[in-house]
Amino acid sequence: MIDHPDRPYRPRRLRATPAMRRLVSETRLHPADLVLPMFVREGAAEPVPISSMPGVVQHSTDSLRRAIAGAAEAGIGGVMLFGVPEHKDAIGSGATDPDGILNVATRIAVAEAGDALVVQTDLCLDEFTDHGHCGVLDARGYVDNDATNLRYRDMAIAQAEAGSQLLGLSGMMDGQVAEVRSALDGAGFTNTPILGYAAKYASAFYGPFREAVQSSLEGDRRTYQLDPANRREGLREIDLDVAEGADVVMVKPAMSYLDVLADAAASSPVPVWAYQVSGEYAMIEAAAAHGWIDRRRAVEESVLGIRRAGADAVLTYWAVELAGWIR
Ligand code: PBG
């Protein structure tokens, strides 16, 4: 920077008018870069509110259909579906059942969405297991990595058969991307892409999600999700997922992990997405409800910050509302 005593550089010149600020803006939000996570509850006749996520519901199949139409209308890039089953068991049978709620919801969403947006599915067992873990347990109650991957292989085929257009592998088992890739290819689904939740941290910010999916988890996921202290290990997970064949990788949560996100964005050869999770949503909603922050500005700034740090797309519960503001 030129340091001239008589004519100091004045950065404020480029901030003086809205038109100038718009012209020099480095980062823009666009509806196509937003993905809406959605919950679908088996047996629900009406949408069921989620108290810790004001404005977010567990959908019935009918309200799902309407919400997909609304999401398409808003021009967002995609939706990520989560199922809330009526019955759970030790191996999460509902996940691989073609008539399981997530697979049913996927068929409905794909039929409604047409080519307007990308219908994605959460590929993980935690919504379907009675113990609430992301995998199956061994005799000592430890999450069995390789036995879980066998379940993920079957789950991947069930989801691909239901029409899912991007499988979101969120279970954090070692080798899960390679296993699912080989299962898909073996079943002829060579064109079904994989989103690897590569750097997924064991986070307190998933709190409200546990209500959203009526999780039965006791304890935590620290034997498989990343330690929030570890940046280098997050990048290692990104590299592994890319090497195993992930088409897109994810950093999750978003706002407390922007360093990992920026590093991943700088080095990844595939798109890097970030998931602004339930607790991040709940914090802003709660503060706004108290009148402590300006809700719209806080929402926009939070997602903008995630994009600025390097996310190519953002999963956010505000996707549709935010798209409306952008347009
Ligand atoms: C696992 C999964 C979780 C979330 C998305 N996928 C929960 C967890 O890992 O405990 C959390 C998303 C959120 O908090 O918004 N299927």
Side-chain angles (χ1 to χ4, degrees), residues 37 39 53 82 122-127 132 134 170-171 197 200-201 203 205-210 213 215 217 221 224-225 252 275-280 317:
F39 305 102
M53 301 178 73
F82 294 90
D122 185 54
L123 199 162
C124 187
L125 287 172
D126 65 311
E127 289 95 15
C134 293
S170 67
Y197 282 46
K200 178 171 176 180
Y201 288 84
S203 173
F205 295 109
Y206 306 146
F209 178 92
R210 304 274 160 90
V213 300
S215 171
L217 182 69
R221 307 197 196 284
Y224 41 105
Q225 297 179 346
K252 177 185 176 184
Y275 194 146
Q276 185 180 45
V277 301
S278 58
E280 302 180 73
Y317 297 95

